Amino acid sequence: MYMKKESARPIISRRSRPAKTPLSRDVIVSSALEILDRDGLAGLSLRRVAAALDTGAASLYVYLTNLDELHALMLDEALATVQLPKSRRLSWRDRLKAFLLSYLHVLYNRRGLAQLALSTISSGPRTLLIWERLLGLLKEGDVEDAKAAWGVDLLTLYVTAIAAEKSNWRESGEGPGRVKDALLSASVEEFPLVVAFREALLSGDAEARLDWALDIIIDGIVGGRLPAASSAVPRPTQRRGTRSKP
Amino acid sequence: MYMKKESARPIISRRSRPAKTPLSRDVIVSSALEILDRDGLAGLSLRRVAAALDTGAASLYVYLTNLDELHALMLDEALATVQLPKSRRLSWRDRLKAFLLSYLHVLYNRRGLAQLALSTISSGPRTLLIWERLLGLLKEGDVEDAKAAWGVDLLTLYVTAIAAEKSNWRESGEGPGRVKDALLSASVEEFPLVVAFREALLSGDAEARLDWALDIIIDGIVGGRLPAASSAVPRPTQRRGTRSKP
DNA sequence: GTTCTTGACGAACACTGTTCGTTATGCCGT
DNA sequence: ACGGCATAACGAACAGTGTTCGTCAAGAAC
């Protein structure tokens, strides 16, 4: 039995009797993820989730505060399927990369989940478990605590972003066509380096790029400097803190 | 005079006479950016842009294919204000970091632009100019071509993602409160490392984290391995290519 | 049996992107 | 100068959205 935030009293569905599926947060989230898989983020709406559960959109508000909360619950639920390889024969680093690859697969393979992840603040138990595992792997690699903490932030943000980017290409139906066109038609007078680097810019598949980038980042986390408590770089006016921030 | 894609014939506004501002892509994009600044991405719509220009939403379709195209034009236009420090007294690396910081400021300081950037495929002239400048800086640092090319992808993706993340916190009105709450209430039985790393996970402001992460990534680009043309890591089923992919 | 609480959900509100069809304006040819 | 044509402008329509309001009915408590 789940309790909606700031509601001290448990919610009991009046559908405990047969015929209609009893409503609950779990049922709503599961149904929403099914719709996401089928129709992508553009096809996900409270009305469609309600219709799938044979109810009205307003009924969902008994269990959810709003659409943002549904998104957060969906993301956390989906992260349950991220897999950590169990084999101890792999190095900590290879297991870390495999874990991050699994994380990317979960985000990428469910239509729209990666985009949802980039606009959703998730802090549920499965998200915490992702952080726990990442910290464990970095600890196993003898990474200093401060670097591990900020490294987790960097790694998860990067993997989420690249999953979303790839998803955007897929959803657009033209892959990198538009960028390719821009590069191929770029003026050598205006963009000499872009034209000179054209082949390199277009080379490699997404997997190769990810693998390389993760090596770059992990190497940096392992061998780079410790985070400073503060920095002298000029800063924009905003609050501290970032999403998925462990 | 701008020509809409696949339209060989120039569009001439019937508003060339006084009283109403003549419509054009540039005018539409400028107006849209003003609305974005004021109301954020949730407050941006074709109807509101049309209303600001004293016309109907349907009129905009003479100049734009759809909302996605408006987003792409807005992003490209906004990138015009990204600044490269001119001083040659700074090292290539410091100028690179300052340039990336300017890029982040542009995305972060306009409400919703960072989120828009993450869901928009931009390949306009100003985007190409960003790539040109980044490649120039990396070349000045004697970074091999292949690493420079893929490094530009990594750097722009990461900076866009962190700008969006910070924007999400700002728009939510509670900053990292939700993540903080999750960390502070995490069970030590379930998440021993998360609890142990709690202080490190919450430490540092956004600027310090960005500065550290950029050092990690730039160090990696400079000293890391060359990209491989292909990789043995298991790959998900998707096309090659990523957004903002030079 | 009556009263009270509250889950369920339709209606309403205010909005969205996009297409269709019509009108009026400006350009071009005669 | 006039008529014809192309098309910019834009309202109407369509199909949809998130969220709140108000009502009803079922179940619990007394």
Side-chain angles (χ1 to χ4, degrees), chain A residues 108 153 165-166 169 201-202 205 209 235 238 240 242-243 246, chain B residues 108 153 165 169 201-202 205 209 225 235 238 240 242-243 246:
Chain A
Y108 180 75
D153 195 8
E165 187 179 57
K166 295 193 327 179
W169 288 127
L201 290 167
L202 291 167
D205 61 15
R209 282 172 179 256
R235 62 186 67 206
Q238 85 284 347
R240 64 187 275 176
T242 57
R243 181 182 66 87
Chain B
Y108 180 75
D153 197 6
E165 186 178 59
W169 288 127
L201 290 166
L202 290 169
D205 63 13
R209 282 171 179 260
R225 68 169 170 88
R235 63 187 64 207
Q238 87 281 351
R240 63 188 273 174
T242 56
R243 182 180 67 83

PDB file of all heavy atoms in Angstrom, chain A residues 108 153 165-166 169 201-202 205 209 235 238 240 242-243 246, chain B residues 108 153 165 169 201-202 205 209 225 235 238 240 242-243 246:
ATOM      1  N   TYR A 108      17.680   4.226 -23.628  1.00  0.00           N
ATOM      2  CA  TYR A 108      17.531   4.339 -25.077  1.00  0.00           C
ATOM      3  C   TYR A 108      16.452   3.407 -25.626  1.00  0.00           C
ATOM      4  O   TYR A 108      15.721   3.766 -26.550  1.00  0.00           O
ATOM      5  CB  TYR A 108      18.867   4.035 -25.757  1.00  0.00           C
ATOM      6  CG  TYR A 108      18.805   4.130 -27.258  1.00  0.00           C
ATOM      7  CD1 TYR A 108      18.755   5.368 -27.898  1.00  0.00           C
ATOM      8  CD2 TYR A 108      18.765   2.980 -28.042  1.00  0.00           C
ATOM      9  CE1 TYR A 108      18.675   5.462 -29.277  1.00  0.00           C
ATOM     10  CE2 TYR A 108      18.674   3.057 -29.423  1.00  0.00           C
ATOM     11  CZ  TYR A 108      18.636   4.306 -30.030  1.00  0.00           C
ATOM     12  OH  TYR A 108      18.534   4.385 -31.388  1.00  0.00           O
ATOM     13  N   ASP A 153      28.108  11.934 -10.753  1.00  0.00           N
ATOM     14  CA  ASP A 153      27.280  12.991 -11.351  1.00  0.00           C
ATOM     15  C   ASP A 153      27.621  13.154 -12.831  1.00  0.00           C
ATOM     16  O   ASP A 153      26.741  13.162 -13.700  1.00  0.00           O
ATOM     17  CB  ASP A 153      27.578  14.287 -10.588  1.00  0.00           C
ATOM     18  CG  ASP A 153      26.556  15.355 -10.835  1.00  0.00           C
ATOM     19  OD1 ASP A 153      25.534  15.067 -11.479  1.00  0.00           O
ATOM     20  OD2 ASP A 153      26.787  16.500 -10.401  1.00  0.00           O
ATOM     21  N   GLU A 165      20.158  12.103 -26.930  1.00  0.00           N
ATOM     22  CA  GLU A 165      20.563  12.576 -28.248  1.00  0.00           C
ATOM     23  C   GLU A 165      20.280  11.519 -29.309  1.00  0.00           C
ATOM     24  O   GLU A 165      19.706  11.806 -30.366  1.00  0.00           O
ATOM     25  CB  GLU A 165      22.055  12.914 -28.205  1.00  0.00           C
ATOM     26  CG  GLU A 165      22.568  13.576 -29.462  1.00  0.00           C
ATOM     27  CD  GLU A 165      24.042  13.914 -29.341  1.00  0.00           C
ATOM     28  OE1 GLU A 165      24.847  12.996 -29.085  1.00  0.00           O
ATOM     29  OE2 GLU A 165      24.384  15.106 -29.507  1.00  0.00           O
ATOM     30  N   LYS A 166      20.673  10.297 -29.008  1.00  0.00           N
ATOM     31  CA  LYS A 166      20.432   9.204 -29.953  1.00  0.00           C
ATOM     32  C   LYS A 166      18.936   8.978 -30.140  1.00  0.00           C
ATOM     33  O   LYS A 166      18.465   8.715 -31.246  1.00  0.00           O
ATOM     34  CB  LYS A 166      21.110   7.930 -29.462  1.00  0.00           C
ATOM     35  CG  LYS A 166      22.618   8.086 -29.436  1.00  0.00           C
ATOM     36  CD  LYS A 166      23.403   6.794 -29.266  1.00  0.00           C
ATOM     37  CE  LYS A 166      22.799   5.734 -28.439  1.00  0.00           C
ATOM     38  NZ  LYS A 166      23.657   4.528 -28.388  1.00  0.00           N
ATOM     39  N   TRP A 169      17.559  11.511 -32.541  1.00  0.00           N
ATOM     40  CA  TRP A 169      17.827  11.148 -33.926  1.00  0.00           C
ATOM     41  C   TRP A 169      16.837  10.102 -34.407  1.00  0.00           C
ATOM     42  O   TRP A 169      16.275  10.198 -35.501  1.00  0.00           O
ATOM     43  CB  TRP A 169      19.247  10.589 -34.073  1.00  0.00           C
ATOM     44  CG  TRP A 169      20.337  11.576 -33.950  1.00  0.00           C
ATOM     45  CD1 TRP A 169      21.412  11.503 -33.130  1.00  0.00           C
ATOM     46  CD2 TRP A 169      20.505  12.792 -34.679  1.00  0.00           C
ATOM     47  NE1 TRP A 169      22.222  12.579 -33.295  1.00  0.00           N
ATOM     48  CE2 TRP A 169      21.697  13.403 -34.238  1.00  0.00           C
ATOM     49  CE3 TRP A 169      19.761  13.436 -35.666  1.00  0.00           C
ATOM     50  CZ2 TRP A 169      22.157  14.618 -34.745  1.00  0.00           C
ATOM     51  CZ3 TRP A 169      20.212  14.643 -36.166  1.00  0.00           C
ATOM     52  CH2 TRP A 169      21.398  15.221 -35.716  1.00  0.00           C
ATOM     53  N   LEU A 201      34.656  14.300 -38.079  1.00  0.00           N
ATOM     54  CA  LEU A 201      33.439  14.682 -37.381  1.00  0.00           C
ATOM     55  C   LEU A 201      32.302  13.693 -37.648  1.00  0.00           C
ATOM     56  O   LEU A 201      31.447  13.464 -36.799  1.00  0.00           O
ATOM     57  CB  LEU A 201      33.018  16.101 -37.793  1.00  0.00           C
ATOM     58  CG  LEU A 201      33.923  17.239 -37.291  1.00  0.00           C
ATOM     59  CD1 LEU A 201      33.592  18.532 -38.034  1.00  0.00           C
ATOM     60  CD2 LEU A 201      33.761  17.455 -35.793  1.00  0.00           C
ATOM     61  N   LEU A 202      32.326  13.123 -38.840  1.00  0.00           N
ATOM     62  CA  LEU A 202      31.262  12.201 -39.218  1.00  0.00           C
ATOM     63  C   LEU A 202      31.620  10.740 -38.989  1.00  0.00           C
ATOM     64  O   LEU A 202      30.802   9.848 -39.208  1.00  0.00           O
ATOM     65  CB  LEU A 202      30.894  12.397 -40.697  1.00  0.00           C
ATOM     66  CG  LEU A 202      30.198  13.721 -41.026  1.00  0.00           C
ATOM     67  CD1 LEU A 202      30.163  13.954 -42.521  1.00  0.00           C
ATOM     68  CD2 LEU A 202      28.785  13.721 -40.453  1.00  0.00           C
ATOM     69  N   ASP A 205      30.664   5.036 -35.210  1.00  0.00           N
ATOM     70  CA  ASP A 205      29.256   4.878 -34.841  1.00  0.00           C
ATOM     71  C   ASP A 205      29.077   5.333 -33.390  1.00  0.00           C
ATOM     72  O   ASP A 205      30.032   5.674 -32.697  1.00  0.00           O
ATOM     73  CB  ASP A 205      28.783   3.442 -35.067  1.00  0.00           C
ATOM     74  CG  ASP A 205      29.548   2.427 -34.235  1.00  0.00           C
ATOM     75  OD1 ASP A 205      30.249   2.831 -33.287  1.00  0.00           O
ATOM     76  OD2 ASP A 205      29.445   1.243 -34.542  1.00  0.00           O
ATOM     77  N   ARG A 209      31.838   5.988 -30.183  1.00  0.00           N
ATOM     78  CA  ARG A 209      31.960   7.297 -29.537  1.00  0.00           C
ATOM     79  C   ARG A 209      31.715   7.212 -28.041  1.00  0.00           C
ATOM     80  O   ARG A 209      32.425   7.840 -27.261  1.00  0.00           O
ATOM     81  CB  ARG A 209      30.969   8.278 -30.165  1.00  0.00           C
ATOM     82  CG  ARG A 209      31.426   8.811 -31.500  1.00  0.00           C
ATOM     83  CD  ARG A 209      30.332   9.621 -32.162  1.00  0.00           C
ATOM     84  NE  ARG A 209      30.853  10.140 -33.438  1.00  0.00           N
ATOM     85  CZ  ARG A 209      31.225  11.405 -33.616  1.00  0.00           C
ATOM     86  NH1 ARG A 209      31.124  12.275 -32.640  1.00  0.00           N
ATOM     87  NH2 ARG A 209      31.684  11.798 -34.803  1.00  0.00           N
ATOM     88  N   ARG A 235      31.155  32.813 -12.286  1.00  0.00           N
ATOM     89  CA  ARG A 235      29.973  31.968 -12.178  1.00  0.00           C
ATOM     90  C   ARG A 235      28.708  32.736 -12.519  1.00  0.00           C
ATOM     91  O   ARG A 235      28.548  33.881 -12.161  1.00  0.00           O
ATOM     92  CB  ARG A 235      29.873  31.399 -10.779  1.00  0.00           C
ATOM     93  CG  ARG A 235      29.706  32.432  -9.697  1.00  0.00           C
ATOM     94  CD  ARG A 235      29.761  31.798  -8.316  1.00  0.00           C
ATOM     95  NE  ARG A 235      31.085  31.275  -8.030  1.00  0.00           N
ATOM     96  CZ  ARG A 235      31.289  30.266  -7.160  1.00  0.00           C
ATOM     97  NH1 ARG A 235      30.270  29.688  -6.564  1.00  0.00           N
ATOM     98  NH2 ARG A 235      32.521  29.848  -6.930  1.00  0.00           N
ATOM     99  N   GLN A 238      23.109  31.490 -10.101  1.00  0.00           N
ATOM    100  CA  GLN A 238      22.127  30.415  -9.906  1.00  0.00           C
ATOM    101  C   GLN A 238      22.479  29.624  -8.663  1.00  0.00           C
ATOM    102  O   GLN A 238      23.569  29.701  -8.146  1.00  0.00           O
ATOM    103  CB  GLN A 238      22.046  29.499 -11.128  1.00  0.00           C
ATOM    104  CG  GLN A 238      23.036  28.357 -11.221  1.00  0.00           C
ATOM    105  CD  GLN A 238      24.416  28.828 -11.632  1.00  0.00           C
ATOM    106  OE1 GLN A 238      24.570  29.951 -12.075  1.00  0.00           O
ATOM    107  NE2 GLN A 238      25.386  27.965 -11.494  1.00  0.00           N
ATOM    108  N   ARG A 240      23.148  26.395  -6.196  1.00  0.00           N
ATOM    109  CA  ARG A 240      23.997  25.211  -6.236  1.00  0.00           C
ATOM    110  C   ARG A 240      23.132  23.997  -6.561  1.00  0.00           C
ATOM    111  O   ARG A 240      21.929  24.010  -6.391  1.00  0.00           O
ATOM    112  CB  ARG A 240      24.720  25.003  -4.912  1.00  0.00           C
ATOM    113  CG  ARG A 240      23.783  24.733  -3.756  1.00  0.00           C
ATOM    114  CD  ARG A 240      24.540  24.717  -2.467  1.00  0.00           C
ATOM    115  NE  ARG A 240      25.102  23.383  -2.240  1.00  0.00           N
ATOM    116  CZ  ARG A 240      25.899  23.104  -1.194  1.00  0.00           C
ATOM    117  NH1 ARG A 240      26.225  24.024  -0.348  1.00  0.00           N
ATOM    118  NH2 ARG A 240      26.358  21.883  -1.044  1.00  0.00           N
ATOM    119  N   THR A 242      22.625  20.115  -8.917  1.00  0.00           N
ATOM    120  CA  THR A 242      22.315  19.638 -10.257  1.00  0.00           C
ATOM    121  C   THR A 242      21.423  18.399 -10.135  1.00  0.00           C
ATOM    122  O   THR A 242      21.372  17.762  -9.109  1.00  0.00           O
ATOM    123  CB  THR A 242      23.598  19.233 -10.999  1.00  0.00           C
ATOM    124  OG1 THR A 242      24.294  18.243 -10.229  1.00  0.00           O
ATOM    125  CG2 THR A 242      24.504  20.414 -11.238  1.00  0.00           C
ATOM    126  N   ARG A 243      20.773  18.081 -11.218  1.00  0.00           N
ATOM    127  CA  ARG A 243      19.910  16.907 -11.209  1.00  0.00           C
ATOM    128  C   ARG A 243      20.732  15.637 -11.129  1.00  0.00           C
ATOM    129  O   ARG A 243      21.856  15.588 -11.564  1.00  0.00           O
ATOM    130  CB  ARG A 243      19.053  16.853 -12.466  1.00  0.00           C
ATOM    131  CG  ARG A 243      18.112  15.633 -12.472  1.00  0.00           C
ATOM    132  CD  ARG A 243      17.311  15.560 -13.718  1.00  0.00           C
ATOM    133  NE  ARG A 243      18.110  15.309 -14.892  1.00  0.00           N
ATOM    134  CZ  ARG A 243      18.449  14.089 -15.319  1.00  0.00           C
ATOM    135  NH1 ARG A 243      18.054  13.010 -14.668  1.00  0.00           N
ATOM    136  NH2 ARG A 243      19.156  13.928 -16.398  1.00  0.00           N
ATOM    137  N   PRO A 246      24.281  13.043  -6.976  1.00  0.00           N
ATOM    138  CA  PRO A 246      24.675  12.429  -5.696  1.00  0.00           C
ATOM    139  C   PRO A 246      25.743  13.296  -5.032  1.00  0.00           C
ATOM    140  O   PRO A 246      26.317  14.176  -5.624  1.00  0.00           O
ATOM    141  CB  PRO A 246      25.233  11.067  -6.074  1.00  0.00           C
ATOM    142  CG  PRO A 246      24.940  10.914  -7.532  1.00  0.00           C
ATOM    143  CD  PRO A 246      24.768  12.282  -8.079  1.00  0.00           C
TER     144      PRO A 246
ATOM    145  N   TYR B 108      21.983  28.718 -20.214  1.00  0.00           N
ATOM    146  CA  TYR B 108      21.367  28.754 -18.888  1.00  0.00           C
ATOM    147  C   TYR B 108      20.607  30.057 -18.637  1.00  0.00           C
ATOM    148  O   TYR B 108      19.560  30.053 -17.989  1.00  0.00           O
ATOM    149  CB  TYR B 108      22.445  28.572 -17.817  1.00  0.00           C
ATOM    150  CG  TYR B 108      21.889  28.605 -16.412  1.00  0.00           C
ATOM    151  CD1 TYR B 108      21.176  27.522 -15.899  1.00  0.00           C
ATOM    152  CD2 TYR B 108      22.048  29.735 -15.614  1.00  0.00           C
ATOM    153  CE1 TYR B 108      20.647  27.559 -14.619  1.00  0.00           C
ATOM    154  CE2 TYR B 108      21.516  29.785 -14.337  1.00  0.00           C
ATOM    155  CZ  TYR B 108      20.816  28.685 -13.843  1.00  0.00           C
ATOM    156  OH  TYR B 108      20.284  28.734 -12.598  1.00  0.00           O
ATOM    157  N   ASP B 153      32.173  16.905 -29.737  1.00  0.00           N
ATOM    158  CA  ASP B 153      30.881  16.276 -29.493  1.00  0.00           C
ATOM    159  C   ASP B 153      30.663  16.101 -27.985  1.00  0.00           C
ATOM    160  O   ASP B 153      29.632  16.497 -27.434  1.00  0.00           O
ATOM    161  CB  ASP B 153      30.893  14.912 -30.186  1.00  0.00           C
ATOM    162  CG  ASP B 153      29.515  14.345 -30.364  1.00  0.00           C
ATOM    163  OD1 ASP B 153      28.526  15.048 -30.058  1.00  0.00           O
ATOM    164  OD2 ASP B 153      29.408  13.196 -30.791  1.00  0.00           O
ATOM    165  N   GLU B 165      20.214  20.689 -16.813  1.00  0.00           N
ATOM    166  CA  GLU B 165      19.993  20.181 -15.467  1.00  0.00           C
ATOM    167  C   GLU B 165      19.817  21.334 -14.480  1.00  0.00           C
ATOM    168  O   GLU B 165      18.880  21.352 -13.675  1.00  0.00           O
ATOM    169  CB  GLU B 165      21.188  19.321 -15.069  1.00  0.00           C
ATOM    170  CG  GLU B 165      21.021  18.615 -13.749  1.00  0.00           C
ATOM    171  CD  GLU B 165      22.221  17.737 -13.436  1.00  0.00           C
ATOM    172  OE1 GLU B 165      23.344  18.287 -13.373  1.00  0.00           O
ATOM    173  OE2 GLU B 165      22.038  16.519 -13.252  1.00  0.00           O
ATOM    174  N   TRP B 169      16.447  22.546 -12.242  1.00  0.00           N
ATOM    175  CA  TRP B 169      16.383  22.861 -10.810  1.00  0.00           C
ATOM    176  C   TRP B 169      15.757  24.234 -10.591  1.00  0.00           C
ATOM    177  O   TRP B 169      14.898  24.423  -9.726  1.00  0.00           O
ATOM    178  CB  TRP B 169      17.779  22.869 -10.189  1.00  0.00           C
ATOM    179  CG  TRP B 169      18.401  21.527 -10.029  1.00  0.00           C
ATOM    180  CD1 TRP B 169      19.634  21.142 -10.466  1.00  0.00           C
ATOM    181  CD2 TRP B 169      17.861  20.391  -9.361  1.00  0.00           C
ATOM    182  NE1 TRP B 169      19.879  19.849 -10.122  1.00  0.00           N
ATOM    183  CE2 TRP B 169      18.813  19.356  -9.441  1.00  0.00           C
ATOM    184  CE3 TRP B 169      16.662  20.145  -8.704  1.00  0.00           C
ATOM    185  CZ2 TRP B 169      18.591  18.099  -8.904  1.00  0.00           C
ATOM    186  CZ3 TRP B 169      16.432  18.886  -8.165  1.00  0.00           C
ATOM    187  CH2 TRP B 169      17.397  17.895  -8.264  1.00  0.00           C
ATOM    188  N   LEU B 201      28.714  13.928  -1.921  1.00  0.00           N
ATOM    189  CA  LEU B 201      27.718  13.997  -2.987  1.00  0.00           C
ATOM    190  C   LEU B 201      27.009  15.348  -3.004  1.00  0.00           C
ATOM    191  O   LEU B 201      26.610  15.829  -4.060  1.00  0.00           O
ATOM    192  CB  LEU B 201      26.682  12.871  -2.805  1.00  0.00           C
ATOM    193  CG  LEU B 201      27.176  11.444  -3.072  1.00  0.00           C
ATOM    194  CD1 LEU B 201      26.181  10.422  -2.537  1.00  0.00           C
ATOM    195  CD2 LEU B 201      27.448  11.215  -4.548  1.00  0.00           C
ATOM    196  N   LEU B 202      26.864  15.949  -1.846  1.00  0.00           N
ATOM    197  CA  LEU B 202      26.158  17.226  -1.755  1.00  0.00           C
ATOM    198  C   LEU B 202      27.092  18.431  -1.780  1.00  0.00           C
ATOM    199  O   LEU B 202      26.655  19.570  -1.756  1.00  0.00           O
ATOM    200  CB  LEU B 202      25.327  17.274  -0.462  1.00  0.00           C
ATOM    201  CG  LEU B 202      24.116  16.335  -0.441  1.00  0.00           C
ATOM    202  CD1 LEU B 202      23.512  16.249   0.956  1.00  0.00           C
ATOM    203  CD2 LEU B 202      23.064  16.805  -1.435  1.00  0.00           C
ATOM    204  N   ASP B 205      29.544  23.839  -5.281  1.00  0.00           N
ATOM    205  CA  ASP B 205      28.483  24.475  -6.054  1.00  0.00           C
ATOM    206  C   ASP B 205      28.592  24.046  -7.516  1.00  0.00           C
ATOM    207  O   ASP B 205      29.508  23.339  -7.915  1.00  0.00           O
ATOM    208  CB  ASP B 205      28.521  25.999  -5.870  1.00  0.00           C
ATOM    209  CG  ASP B 205      29.819  26.623  -6.387  1.00  0.00           C
ATOM    210  OD1 ASP B 205      30.579  25.919  -7.096  1.00  0.00           O
ATOM    211  OD2 ASP B 205      30.059  27.797  -6.097  1.00  0.00           O
ATOM    212  N   ARG B 209      31.736  22.212  -9.780  1.00  0.00           N
ATOM    213  CA  ARG B 209      31.562  20.914 -10.427  1.00  0.00           C
ATOM    214  C   ARG B 209      31.833  20.996 -11.916  1.00  0.00           C
ATOM    215  O   ARG B 209      32.454  20.120 -12.494  1.00  0.00           O
ATOM    216  CB  ARG B 209      30.139  20.405 -10.198  1.00  0.00           C
ATOM    217  CG  ARG B 209      29.952  19.833  -8.824  1.00  0.00           C
ATOM    218  CD  ARG B 209      28.481  19.549  -8.547  1.00  0.00           C
ATOM    219  NE  ARG B 209      28.339  18.970  -7.232  1.00  0.00           N
ATOM    220  CZ  ARG B 209      28.183  17.661  -7.010  1.00  0.00           C
ATOM    221  NH1 ARG B 209      28.103  16.822  -8.012  1.00  0.00           N
ATOM    222  NH2 ARG B 209      28.071  17.198  -5.788  1.00  0.00           N
ATOM    223  N   ARG B 225      43.378   8.034 -25.303  1.00  0.00           N
ATOM    224  CA  ARG B 225      43.644   7.268 -26.514  1.00  0.00           C
ATOM    225  C   ARG B 225      42.889   7.868 -27.692  1.00  0.00           C
ATOM    226  O   ARG B 225      41.916   8.580 -27.545  1.00  0.00           O
ATOM    227  CB  ARG B 225      43.236   5.808 -26.313  1.00  0.00           C
ATOM    228  CG  ARG B 225      41.733   5.587 -26.164  1.00  0.00           C
ATOM    229  CD  ARG B 225      41.431   4.078 -26.237  1.00  0.00           C
ATOM    230  NE  ARG B 225      40.044   3.785 -25.867  1.00  0.00           N
ATOM    231  CZ  ARG B 225      39.038   3.791 -26.739  1.00  0.00           C
ATOM    232  NH1 ARG B 225      39.242   4.120 -28.009  1.00  0.00           N
ATOM    233  NH2 ARG B 225      37.798   3.481 -26.351  1.00  0.00           N
ATOM    234  N   ARG B 235      26.508  -3.423 -28.695  1.00  0.00           N
ATOM    235  CA  ARG B 235      25.857  -2.190 -29.120  1.00  0.00           C
ATOM    236  C   ARG B 235      24.360  -2.357 -29.231  1.00  0.00           C
ATOM    237  O   ARG B 235      23.859  -3.383 -29.673  1.00  0.00           O
ATOM    238  CB  ARG B 235      26.433  -1.719 -30.445  1.00  0.00           C
ATOM    239  CG  ARG B 235      26.227  -2.664 -31.601  1.00  0.00           C
ATOM    240  CD  ARG B 235      26.988  -2.171 -32.822  1.00  0.00           C
ATOM    241  NE  ARG B 235      28.427  -2.175 -32.602  1.00  0.00           N
ATOM    242  CZ  ARG B 235      29.271  -1.357 -33.232  1.00  0.00           C
ATOM    243  NH1 ARG B 235      28.822  -0.467 -34.090  1.00  0.00           N
ATOM    244  NH2 ARG B 235      30.574  -1.410 -33.015  1.00  0.00           N
ATOM    245  N   GLN B 238      20.707   0.809 -33.096  1.00  0.00           N
ATOM    246  CA  GLN B 238      20.349   2.156 -33.516  1.00  0.00           C
ATOM    247  C   GLN B 238      21.368   2.671 -34.532  1.00  0.00           C
ATOM    248  O   GLN B 238      22.428   2.123 -34.679  1.00  0.00           O
ATOM    249  CB  GLN B 238      20.273   3.095 -32.309  1.00  0.00           C
ATOM    250  CG  GLN B 238      21.541   3.757 -31.859  1.00  0.00           C
ATOM    251  CD  GLN B 238      22.394   2.834 -31.064  1.00  0.00           C
ATOM    252  OE1 GLN B 238      21.971   1.740 -30.698  1.00  0.00           O
ATOM    253  NE2 GLN B 238      23.601   3.239 -30.798  1.00  0.00           N
ATOM    254  N   ARG B 240      23.963   5.213 -36.501  1.00  0.00           N
ATOM    255  CA  ARG B 240      25.131   5.979 -36.109  1.00  0.00           C
ATOM    256  C   ARG B 240      24.726   7.442 -35.956  1.00  0.00           C
ATOM    257  O   ARG B 240      23.735   7.881 -36.491  1.00  0.00           O
ATOM    258  CB  ARG B 240      26.240   5.848 -37.137  1.00  0.00           C
ATOM    259  CG  ARG B 240      25.861   6.407 -38.497  1.00  0.00           C
ATOM    260  CD  ARG B 240      26.903   6.084 -39.517  1.00  0.00           C
ATOM    261  NE  ARG B 240      27.939   7.090 -39.514  1.00  0.00           N
ATOM    262  CZ  ARG B 240      29.046   6.971 -40.263  1.00  0.00           C
ATOM    263  NH1 ARG B 240      29.240   5.891 -41.002  1.00  0.00           N
ATOM    264  NH2 ARG B 240      29.954   7.913 -40.241  1.00  0.00           N
ATOM    265  N   THR B 242      25.007  11.348 -33.609  1.00  0.00           N
ATOM    266  CA  THR B 242      24.451  11.965 -32.408  1.00  0.00           C
ATOM    267  C   THR B 242      24.153  13.435 -32.725  1.00  0.00           C
ATOM    268  O   THR B 242      24.660  13.998 -33.679  1.00  0.00           O
ATOM    269  CB  THR B 242      25.480  11.924 -31.259  1.00  0.00           C
ATOM    270  OG1 THR B 242      26.685  12.549 -31.701  1.00  0.00           O
ATOM    271  CG2 THR B 242      25.756  10.507 -30.826  1.00  0.00           C
ATOM    272  N   ARG B 243      23.352  14.029 -31.915  1.00  0.00           N
ATOM    273  CA  ARG B 243      23.034  15.444 -32.111  1.00  0.00           C
ATOM    274  C   ARG B 243      24.256  16.310 -31.849  1.00  0.00           C
ATOM    275  O   ARG B 243      25.119  15.948 -31.076  1.00  0.00           O
ATOM    276  CB  ARG B 243      21.920  15.885 -31.184  1.00  0.00           C
ATOM    277  CG  ARG B 243      21.528  17.356 -31.412  1.00  0.00           C
ATOM    278  CD  ARG B 243      20.437  17.782 -30.496  1.00  0.00           C
ATOM    279  NE  ARG B 243      20.852  17.828 -29.097  1.00  0.00           N
ATOM    280  CZ  ARG B 243      21.481  18.848 -28.541  1.00  0.00           C
ATOM    281  NH1 ARG B 243      21.764  19.919 -29.220  1.00  0.00           N
ATOM    282  NH2 ARG B 243      21.828  18.809 -27.279  1.00  0.00           N
ATOM    283  N   PRO B 246      29.608  17.140 -34.532  1.00  0.00           N
ATOM    284  CA  PRO B 246      30.613  17.432 -35.544  1.00  0.00           C
ATOM    285  C   PRO B 246      31.466  16.189 -35.738  1.00  0.00           C
ATOM    286  O   PRO B 246      31.348  15.221 -35.029  1.00  0.00           O
ATOM    287  CB  PRO B 246      31.449  18.551 -34.936  1.00  0.00           C
ATOM    288  CG  PRO B 246      30.760  18.905 -33.670  1.00  0.00           C
ATOM    289  CD  PRO B 246      29.894  17.758 -33.301  1.00  0.00           C
TER     290      PRO B 246
END
